[in-house]
Amino acid sequence: MCGGKGTRLESTREKPLYPIAGEPMIDRVLAALSDSAVATVHAAASPNAPGTRTRLERDERVRTIETPGEGYVADLLAALESPAVSPPVLSVAADLPLLAATVVDRVLAVYGGQGSLTVCVPVALKHRLGVSIDSRLESATHLAPTGVNVVGATDSDANSNQRKSQPMHVSYDSRLAINVNRPEDARVAADFLAGPGTRAGVGADANEDENGVSR
C-alpha cells in the first residue's frame, strides 16, 4: 500500500519515497517482501504519489495496481478487485521501513489459512518508542494497527481493523510498531537502524509466536 501523499512528514517527497537512513521507505519494504515467503508483490499506487508509481514500474520485483488514493481501505478494496489479485492477500503499508523478511514470515506462519488476520501492537510499545499513534482498534483501544494484515476471501474483510470478531495477532516487535507518519517517527526509525544489534532483531519478542495471538 503505497499511495499516500505524506503531508504529515512536512516534506516535498512523496511518503513512500521518504528516505530513512538514506534509503526510500518503499525500497526497504520491497526488500523485506522480496526476501520473504511472499510469492508475488503488487504495489497499490495512486494519483497521490506519481513519482512512486514511476519508480515501481521500473522495479522487476513488483507489479503496480492503480488505486483511487482515497484512503487505506478504499485503496485496498480497489486493489482486491484487480483480476491480478486473489485472496488471501498480505497487505503491508509502505511506512514500515524497519520491516524484515523474518517479520513477514512470522505473520504468514501465524495466519491459519482461513478468514483474515489483523496484526497490531500495544499502544504502550509505541509510547515507549516515542512514535506517533494515529489510530487504535475500536474493539481494543490499548492496541494499534500496524498496517500489516492478511485479507481473506471476502472484500468486506478489508476493513479488518474495525471488525470486532476479527482474529488478531498481537506483536511486540518494535519493527512493526514504527510507522513513519511524522518527522519524529522518521528520526526514531533512523536511530533504530543505527543502533547496535538492530539487524539481528533488537526489539522483537522471542516468544511472540507462542504468546502473541489473541482473539
Side-chain angles (χ1 to χ4, degrees):
M1 304 300 296
C2 52
K5 292 181 180 179
T7 53
R8 290 173 293 179
L9 279 168
E10 302 172 12
S11 171
T12 58
R13 295 183 177 91
E14 297 170 6
K15 185 176 183 179
L17 300 181
Y18 191 92
I20 303 296
E23 186 175 0
M25 288 197 288
I26 188 63
D27 288 359
R28 292 184 176 279
V29 172
L30 281 177
L33 293 173
S34 297
D35 292 339
S36 75
V38 170
T40 305
V41 179
H42 293 84
S46 85
N48 294 328
T52 299
R53 182 186 180 93
T54 298
R55 185 185 188 90
L56 292 170
E57 287 175 342
R58 297 195 297 261
D59 195 321
E60 296 180 351
R61 297 173 296 178
V62 62
R63 305 171 187 176
T64 58
I65 297 174
E66 184 69 27
T67 59
E70 297 173 353
Y72 181 89
V73 173
D75 284 2
L76 179 55
L77 287 171
L80 291 171
E81 291 173 356
S82 168
V85 175
S86 58
V89 173
L90 177 74
S91 65
V92 179
D95 61 8
L96 287 166
L98 306 183
L99 192 69
T102 53
V103 178
V104 175
D105 289 342
R106 185 182 299 125
V107 172
L108 295 177
V110 169
Y111 176 60
Q114 295 182 353
S116 299
L117 181 72
T118 295
V119 182
C120 50
V121 294
V123 168
L125 175 59
K126 294 178 79 75
H127 278 306
R128 180 170 65 81
L129 292 167
V131 294
S132 60
I133 301 168
D134 291 282
S135 62
R136 303 180 186 223
L137 301 187
E138 286 187 356
S139 59
T141 56
H142 67 290
L143 298 175
T146 62
V148 177
N149 302 282
V150 179
V151 181
T154 62
D155 289 355
S156 62
D157 283 336
N159 196 11
S160 59
N161 289 339
Q162 308 301 326
R163 292 170 62 86
K164 293 183 179 180
S165 62
Q166 189 65 42
M168 292 185 294
H169 173 54
V170 183
S171 174
Y172 299 87
D173 193 323
S174 298
R175 294 169 292 184
L176 282 173
I178 301 176
N179 300 86
V180 175
N181 290 305
R182 293 174 170 79
E184 181 56 33
D185 301 335
R187 286 190 287 271
V188 171
D191 289 346
F192 196 96
L193 285 170
T198 296
R199 294 187 183 278
V202 171
D205 184 344
N207 297 317
E208 180 181 59
D209 288 342
E210 179 180 352
N211 302 319
V213 179
S214 61
R215 293 181 183 273

